[in-house]
Amino acid sequence: MALQRLDKVLSLLGCGSRKQTGAAIRAGRVSVNGQIVRDPAHKVTPVQDVLLFGGQPVRWRIGRYYMLNKPAGLVSARVDNLHETVLSLFPERERKRLFPVGRLDKDTEGLLLITDDGAFAHALTSPRRHVAKTYAAQVEGRLDLGAPQHFASGMTLADGTVCRPAKLEVLRTENGLTAVEVTLWEGKHHQVKRMVAAAGGHVAALKRLSIGPLRLDEALAPGSYRELSEEEVAALRAAASEGK
Ligand code: URA
């Protein structure tokens, strides 16, 4: 896993702002694998390196983190007055403080992160971070020939919404449906559906395949979830801090 700056890592793991963690490092309050390190830019290896902050071990995973294969028909919210939410898939005793990271439409399937770590969720969903999200879509209708270029250059939708450059890959057309993969570096409301509509198609089915470096585990049936490993959590944190 990529090396990362010590001050940034400590801040992401809840030890304080970058300024506070930098000051603590310079003051000799932080050790890495038993050695005091006084350089905030010192590079550490997520999960492998043992960090002590003020003598206390720093855990690389500070909350609960799950990968859910969201089925169609559930809403991505903690509570909803009308519809069942994705949290209904978790036993009641596990649900406490959990929430979905960002939103998928009710009819969208696929990778949805569930956590109780607000800073982690914020880092992954902040419009300033630009973490890549890839979707598989089945598209009805005829996409414009220039659709991939249209996506790549970014587009302004009819209602004035500005979409940053995105990637559209046309995979195949069968029985009137075109299979495409779309990668976005932002997350506007119904964005895949609206961009595809602007390129002449209609999204008949949508599934999220990946968020940054994390791909949906194909062993997970729709409606099932599993805990993320420490490595997966650290890789997502790194992607959020680098914006990829
Ligand atoms: N784009 C959409 O249109 N819907 C989703 O659920 C996610 C991205």
Side-chain angles (χ1 to χ4, degrees), residues 64-68 70 76-78 86-87 97-104 110-126 131 133 135 208 211 214 228 236 240:
R64 292 183 292 152
Y65 308 85
Y66 299 97
M67 162 193 293
L68 167 70
K70 178 191 175 295
S76 308
R78 281 205 84 219
V86 288
L87 289 185
R97 287 192 291 274
L98 289 179
F99 58 89
V101 178
R103 278 171 189 265
L104 290 177
L111 178 57
L112 184 64
L113 298 173
I114 307 284
T115 186
D116 60 355
D117 180 345
F120 173 79
H122 176 74
L124 284 168
T125 50
S126 160
V131 176
K133 292 166 187 100
Y135 299 84
R208 183 153 66 192
I211 300 174
L214 185 73
L228 295 182
L236 284 167

Side-chain angles (χ1 to χ4, degrees), residues 103-105 108 135 184 188 190-194 206:
R103 278 171 189 265
L104 290 177
D105 295 338
T108 301
Y135 299 84
L184 304 179
K188 299 203 159 95
H190 301 321
Q191 189 167 350
V192 173
K193 292 173 185 168
R194 292 198 291 159
L206 188 61

Side-chain angles (χ1 to χ4, degrees), residues 65-70 90 111-114 214-218 220 224-228 232:
Y65 308 85
Y66 299 97
M67 162 193 293
L68 167 70
N69 185 356
K70 178 191 175 295
F90 290 73
L111 178 57
L112 184 64
L113 298 173
I114 307 284
L214 185 73
R215 228 183 138 75
L216 177 65
D217 190 334
E218 291 297 338
L220 286 179
S224 5
Y225 60 89
R226 70 157 171 83
E227 214 170 337
L228 295 182
E232 286 171 331

Side-chain angles (χ1 to χ4, degrees), residues 5 8-9 42 52 56 71 90 104 108 116-117 123 127 129 149 152 165 184 204-205 213 221 229 243:
R5 281 179 66 109
K8 193 170 182 177
V9 158
H42 178 85
L52 295 187
Q56 297 299 315
F90 290 73
L104 290 177
T108 301
D116 60 355
D117 180 345
R129 304 296 178 100
Q149 186 49 45
L184 304 179
S229 66

